[in-house]
């Protein structure tokens, strides 16, 4: 099932449901449970065989260990690539975007970190971010940028959490940057150093 | 209260006959100062006193945005129109004083694009002239496909080709030349933005073709200023100001509201910007929604109207104005 999030401030991204659209090619990126959104979309497509014949699927196991690579591989897309991490498939993604022509459809499903980073790459390639279809599935862990040292911590589960770069205790905001593809983390004990509320597991 | 974009008092510095249908007008500030900087694709609303009738028509700026000494517009004479273009063609001469609005841009280039693909039809060339001037200064990648009825009517084509060579492709109807749109749209690098300005039919054709070939809506931009259509006269009640007005056959609802001394917001006066959106408090009849702004749902609901271009037929129309 598609994840439903409680209402939040306007900068917090909202996600849709993947739908097969006519296009000259299809780039599909997913991580973790995002694989299910891909299989659901293909199952509902009017001409799944024709779509798969022009599809390039990139899959990364999820932050909580979910790995459905074999299910996606079995779809029989023109190209399928399993990558151990998003960072590892970034050069491939960039190459596909650099060589592509207008008319290629882009779909991304899974966790917010991967969705945001695929949109970021599409934007760097000159596409409007709205051109990327998104669907959230699975883990709600966040990718957070520390506003103080600018370092990014992946897969944040608790609020507050210590910045993995500078060590400050960060409060996780809903404030989101599309350019950086990360939520904002702000020091929580700047006024009273050491007064840090106990961390709560907000993202699973 | 003042409505619309801030006004600039100008003097007509030059009028040039570009071809049998198009004249170019250059405006400079009456006080000799610099014009505000604008961005390629912007338009101004020219305020005209046509022998007692006030006409305010939007025209795209075609001059180089970096030139703050004056603004230029090109106007195609519309013999069947309500009279704005005829007034400019027949009565506006160098030395005359006019008032124009500050520039407003409803058709900007998307600076994030990897390439700009422009399609112009006829007088729709004008916003591209200022955009191309800006892009060539910045070294931006663009391609212009310009179609016109004949070579004589292809305003500025020679100048564009001389300056930009094979980035400009010309298509002449009387030579049987037409844009091979399917091919053109299928060969564009990812990150290309598409811009179209020209007659309604052309805009529709380009947008539909792009959509069917998988182009995202957000990468397709178009601009068409609608001239307020003429029609039967009708009555409107303005609830807030407590007035009942009659809209004449060649008058727009917005013009009739203004003529009654009621300030109503506007920017483009061509159904494109959304600024004039007005709540409908009561409607017993049919609104002719002529705008590009309201969604189809809103149009069916009859709870909103765009007075700059839309009309009414029926018993009563009550507006929150
Ligand atoms: S004034 Fe722009 S839509 Fe009416």
């Amino acid at each position: 099932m598609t994840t439903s999030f409680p209402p939040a401030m306007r900068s917090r991204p909202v996600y849709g449901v993947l739908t097969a659209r006519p296009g000259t090619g299809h780039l599909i990126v997913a991580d973790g449970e995002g694989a299910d959104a891909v299989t659901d979309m293909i199952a509902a497509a009017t001409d799944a065989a024709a779509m798969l014949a022009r599809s390039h699927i990139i899959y990364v196991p999820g932050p909580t260990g979910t790995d459905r690579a074999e299910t996606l591989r079995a779809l029989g897309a023109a190209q399928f690539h399993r990558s151990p991490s998003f960072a590892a498939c970034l050069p491939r993604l960039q190459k596909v975007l650099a060589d592509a022509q207008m008319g290629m459809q882009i779909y991304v499903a899974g966790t917010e970190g991967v969705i945001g980073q695929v949109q970021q790459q599409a934007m760097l390639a000159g596409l409007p971010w709205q051109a990327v279809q998104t669907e959230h599935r699975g883990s709600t862990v966040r990718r957070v940028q520390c506003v103080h040292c600018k370092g990014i911590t992946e897969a944040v589960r608790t609020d507050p959490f210590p910045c993995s770069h500078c060590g400050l205790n960060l409060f996780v905001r809903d404030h989101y940057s599309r350019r950086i593809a990360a939520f904002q983390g702000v020091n929580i004990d700047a006024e009273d150093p050491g007064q840090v509320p106990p961390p709560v597991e907000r993202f699973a | 209260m003042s409505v619309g974009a801030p006004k600039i008092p100008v003097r007509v510095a030059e009028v040039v006959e570009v071809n049998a249908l198009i004249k170019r007008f250059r405006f400079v500030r009456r006080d000799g100062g610099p014009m505000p900087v604008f961005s390629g694709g912007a338009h101004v609303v020219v305020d005209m006193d046509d022998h007692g009738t006030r006409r305010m028509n939007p025209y795209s700026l075609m001059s180089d945005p970096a030139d703050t000494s004056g603004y230029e517009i090109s106007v195609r004479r519309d013999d069947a129109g309500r009279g704005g273009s005829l007034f400019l063609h027949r009565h506006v001469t160098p030395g005359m004083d006019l008032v124009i609005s500050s520039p407003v841009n409803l058709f900007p280039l998307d600076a994030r694009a990897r390439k700009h693909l422009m399609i112009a039809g006829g007088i729709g060339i004008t916003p591209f002239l200022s955009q191309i001037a800006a892009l060539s200064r910045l070294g931006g990648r663009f391609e212009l496909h310009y179609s016109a009825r004949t070579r004589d009517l292809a305003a500025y084509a020679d100048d564009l080709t001389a300056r930009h060579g094979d980035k400009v492709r010309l298509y002449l109807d009387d030579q049987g030349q037409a844009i091979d749109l399917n091919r053109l749209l299928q060969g564009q690098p990812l990150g290309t933005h598409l811009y179209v300005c020209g007659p309604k039919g052309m805009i529709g054709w380009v947008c539909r073709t792009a959509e069917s070939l998988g182009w995202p809506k957000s990468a397709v931009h178009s601009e068409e200023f609608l001239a307020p259509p003429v029609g039967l006269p009708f009555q409107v009640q303005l609830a807030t100001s407590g007035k009942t007005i009659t809209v004449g056959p060649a008058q727009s609802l917005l013009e009739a509201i203004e003529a009654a001394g009621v300030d109503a917001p506007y920017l483009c006066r061509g159904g494109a910007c959304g600024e004039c959106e007005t709540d409908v408090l009561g409607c017993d009849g049919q609104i002719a929604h002529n705008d590009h702004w309201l969604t189809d749902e809103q149009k069916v609901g009859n709870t909103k109207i765009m007075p700059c271009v839309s009309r009414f037929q029926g018993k009563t129309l009550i507006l929150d104005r």
Side-chain angles (χ1 to χ4, degrees):
Chain A
M1 272 298 288
T2 297
T3 316
S4 66
F5 292 99
M9 67 170 75
R10 268 192 73 183
S11 91
R12 197 216 184 298
V14 288
Y15 306 102
V17 172
L18 299 190
T19 319
R21 280 207 200 125
T24 46
H26 305 271
L27 171 62
I28 303 168
V29 186
D31 77 328
E33 285 81 353
D36 302 342
V38 176
T39 46
D40 286 356
M41 166 175 73
I42 303 280
T46 30
D47 194 349
M51 181 180 181
L52 284 164
R54 279 187 279 173
S55 291
H56 185 155
I57 302 179
I58 299 175
Y59 181 71
V60 181
T64 51
T66 308
D67 186 351
R68 307 215 168 127
E70 291 323 306
T71 315
L72 289 188
R73 191 190 304 275
L75 290 172
Q79 288 179 80
F80 174 80
H81 176 78
R82 178 192 179 277
S83 177
S85 69
F86 184 78
C89 72
L90 192 56
R92 168 181 284 256
L93 179 65
Q94 286 169 335
K95 172 94 174 95
V96 174
L97 291 171
D99 294 346
Q101 296 193 319
M102 288 303 281
M104 182 179 77
Q105 304 299 307
I106 306 177
Y107 312 82
V108 53
T111 64
E112 297 200 82
V114 164
I115 294 176
Q117 289 177 91
V118 171
Q119 275 183 318
Q120 181 189 38
Q121 291 304 319
M123 272 159 54
L124 289 172
L127 277 181
W129 57 270
Q130 301 95 322
V132 178
Q133 278 199 60
T134 61
E135 179 166 345
H136 190 278
R137 295 271 187 136
S139 169
T140 57
V141 295
R142 289 187 176 188
R143 185 175 137 93
V144 182
Q145 187 194 46
C146 169
V147 302
H148 311 283
C149 79
K150 307 298 176 203
I152 289 175
T153 305
E154 302 279 352
V156 170
R157 283 163 205 283
T158 65
D159 185 17
F161 76 100
C163 173
S164 60
H165 300 260
C166 68
L168 284 177
N169 292 299
L170 301 179
F171 158 60
V172 181
R173 302 193 60 218
D174 277 342
H175 190 119
Y176 183 83
S177 164
R178 254 187 213 108
R179 190 176 56 83
I180 303 164
F183 286 95
Q184 186 185 64
V186 184
N187 188 201
I188 202 164
D189 57 342
E191 322 257 299
D192 309 291
Q195 295 292 97
V196 182
V200 177
E201 182 152 328
R202 273 181 64 202
F203 320 111
Chain B
M1 191 179 102
S2 103
V3 287
K7 303 280 188 271
I8 308 172
V10 296
R11 184 152 297 148
V12 180
E14 197 184 31
V15 181
V16 176
E17 203 162 323
V18 179
N19 60 36
L21 287 178
I22 297 173
K23 275 190 178 181
R24 180 172 73 235
F25 300 83
R26 182 173 178 85
F27 304 129
V28 297
R29 282 186 79 107
R30 273 182 237 165
D31 62 11
M35 291 287 204
V37 176
F38 67 97
S39 52
H43 72 271
V44 295
V45 172
V46 180
D47 209 323
M48 296 167 262
D49 176 4
D50 182 1
H51 310 92
T53 305
R54 189 168 180 210
R55 303 194 186 282
M56 288 189 263
N57 289 5
Y59 295 102
S60 298
L61 292 174
M62 54 163 287
S63 43
D64 185 340
D67 173 12
T68 55
S69 68
Y71 288 166
E72 285 171 17
I73 62 170
S74 278
V75 180
R76 183 190 197 279
R77 199 182 69 230
D78 181 359
D79 294 312
R82 300 186 319 142
S85 68
L86 285 176
F87 175 78
L88 279 159
H89 270 254
R90 290 189 185 145
H91 302 289
V92 174
T93 49
M96 226 169 116
D97 285 347
L98 281 176
V99 173
I100 64 172
S101 73
S102 283
V104 169
N105 201 345
L106 301 175
F107 192 51
L109 293 171
D110 191 315
R112 297 162 299 185
R114 222 206 277 178
K115 174 182 171 183
H116 304 278
L117 178 65
M118 304 164 170
I119 300 184
I123 190 67
I125 189 65
T126 50
F128 295 123
L129 295 171
S130 64
Q131 292 180 337
I132 288 174
L135 275 177
S136 34
R137 185 165 305 106
L138 299 166
R141 185 169 166 204
F142 74 92
E143 210 176 282
L144 170 72
H145 297 260
Y146 178 15
S147 80
R149 273 163 40 200
T150 64
R151 178 161 283 280
D152 286 345
L153 290 178
Y156 309 111
D158 293 341
D159 184 51
L160 283 164
T161 331
R163 266 181 223 232
H164 306 288
D166 58 7
K167 286 184 188 153
V168 176
R169 223 61 64 75
L170 187 63
Y171 306 80
L172 302 172
D173 294 351
D174 69 341
Q175 311 272 315
Q177 299 164 339
I179 303 177
D180 185 351
L181 193 59
N182 270 293
R183 237 185 94 194
L184 181 65
L185 295 186
Q186 279 179 34
Q188 299 301 326
L190 199 76
T192 303
H193 280 244
L194 173 64
Y195 307 84
V196 52
C197 185
K200 198 185 199 66
M202 176 188 224
I203 294 179
W205 170 59
V206 171
C207 293
R208 274 193 314 273
T209 311
E211 192 178 345
S212 72
L213 294 174
W215 281 63
K217 273 202 170 65
S218 41
V220 180
H221 315 270
S222 63
E223 180 162 80
E224 183 203 8
F225 290 128
L226 303 161
V230 296
L232 295 173
F234 58 95
Q235 271 204 351
V236 183
Q237 296 174 34
L238 306 179
T240 319
S241 38
K243 295 187 179 178
T244 298
I245 58 170
T246 302
V247 183
Q251 197 179 27
S252 73
L253 170 54
L254 177 61
E255 288 164 347
I257 295 174
E258 290 166 339
V262 176
D263 273 340
Y266 70 86
L267 274 181
C268 73
R269 304 181 80 90
C273 73
E275 187 70 18
C276 68
E277 186 178 299
T278 303
D279 287 333
V280 174
L281 302 178
C283 171
D284 180 4
Q286 269 302 315
I287 297 178
H289 290 287
N290 296 316
D291 60 276
H292 289 318
W293 176 256
L294 298 175
T295 62
D296 289 346
E297 253 163 50
Q298 286 175 312
K299 287 182 181 176
V300 175
N302 276 353
T303 53
K304 304 262 184 205
I305 188 170
M306 310 306 286
C308 63
V309 288
S310 295
R311 302 184 73 85
F312 173 74
Q313 228 179 343
K315 264 171 93 183
T316 24
L317 178 66
I318 310 169
L319 301 183
D320 181 17
R321 196 54 82 200

